[in-house]
Amino acid sequence: MRDYQAGFIREAIRCNALSFGKFTLKSGRISPYFFNAGNFCNGETMSIIGRCYAEAIIESGLDFDMLFGPAYKGIPLAASAAIALNDVFQTKTPFCFNRKEGKTHGEGGVLAGSPLQGKVVIIDDVMTAGIATSQAIEMISSHPDAVVAGVIIGLDRKESTVKDKPAKEFIEQSHGIPVLNIIDIDDILDFLRSSSDMSDFIEPITKYREVFGTRE
């Protein structure tokens, strides 16, 4: 595990963005862990998380011109990643984001930020079924001057969808783009195994992974 991956998990646990217990997901599944990027909600945390995204982007080797943050949680993630790319890697990177409802006054429209153009990397928090990612890809692809270069998410839960196909694989095959992540559920399990005070969470997550996880 890379240092930035372990740092991402540590910070997510510290600020309760990654929590353990019993949670009902949108899919109806009862999960022993939950990831809520909405708890990345202070400057120190966003500085750490933004750097994790930036390191993942640079390590990926993706050729890109700008970042896109889907509303709503992707917006601060894309902004913090752009800041980290500038501060740490001296890469000036514009970013854009969307509104869930179009604005009818002022500049109007659904998009805000830098003009949507060139090779775009989508920055988001988590992938389960891949619905939000597909919507973002369609939005970007509808612009004649923009093309999606890839997707980087914080956490890939590595779960099968109702059609028993991994969301990540579905997105990659449907749109012909790479879907990368900072961490996945297996990284979380590795982290828990190395943390003696968190060993109680290993068994329920492992069992959940066996039932709903993708087959390697």
Side-chain angles (χ1 to χ4, degrees):
M1 188 185 303
R2 302 282 195 272
D3 287 344
Y4 74 85
Q5 293 175 301
F8 186 91
I9 296 173
R10 277 195 299 271
E11 186 62 21
I13 292 173
R14 189 191 70 81
C15 69
N16 206 37
L18 176 60
S19 50
F20 305 97
K22 192 174 182 181
F23 308 91
T24 301
L25 304 180
K26 187 184 295 185
S27 63
R29 295 173 179 174
I30 307 299
S31 173
Y33 74 102
F34 189 68
F35 182 71
N36 177 17
N39 284 340
F40 294 149
C41 55
N42 64 72
E44 179 186 14
T45 294
M46 290 307 298
S47 177
I48 294 170
I49 297 304
R51 178 163 183 163
C52 291
Y53 273 95
E55 292 201 41
I57 292 168
I58 295 299
E59 186 177 88
S60 74
L62 287 173
D63 182 17
F64 69 99
D65 298 307
M66 66 178 301
L67 307 180
F68 179 85
Y72 288 104
K73 292 178 183 176
I75 297 174
L77 296 176
S80 63
I83 292 169
L85 284 168
N86 179 77
D87 292 350
V88 180
F89 297 100
Q90 291 74 55
T91 301
K92 293 183 179 180
T93 305
F95 69 95
C96 176
F97 58 92
N98 68 296
R99 305 179 178 96
K100 290 213 172 182
E101 296 180 0
K103 187 176 180 182
T104 57
H105 60 281
E107 76 279 14
V110 174
L111 298 176
S114 187
L116 188 57
Q117 58 190 16
K119 296 179 285 292
V120 184
V121 172
I122 298 171
I123 303 294
D124 214 347
D125 57 344
V126 64
M127 179 173 287
T128 302
I131 296 172
T133 302
S134 292
Q135 291 172 341
I137 292 171
E138 291 171 5
M139 180 180 300
I140 294 167
S141 299
S142 68
H143 285 256
D145 297 326
V147 61
V148 180
V151 180
I152 295 189
I153 56 175
L155 169 65
D156 180 4
R157 292 180 61 97
K158 297 180 79 170
E159 292 187 25
S160 58
T161 63
V162 290
K163 294 184 179 180
D164 201 33
K165 192 168 190 177
K168 180 176 179 179
E169 180 182 327
F170 175 78
I171 296 293
E172 289 180 327
Q173 292 181 355
S174 299
H175 301 283
I177 59 172
V179 178
L180 309 170
N181 51 271
I182 297 176
I183 62 167
D184 59 35
I185 183 55
D186 294 320
D187 294 318
I188 293 174
L189 283 169
D190 287 343
F191 185 89
L192 295 177
R193 292 184 187 109
S194 67
S195 306
S196 58
D197 60 332
M198 306 189 77
S199 59
D200 290 347
F201 304 124
I202 296 174
E203 183 177 357
I205 294 177
T206 300
K207 289 182 177 179
Y208 182 85
R209 177 91 171 86
E210 290 172 353
V211 175
F212 297 113
T214 57
R215 303 294 179 257
E216 301 297 341

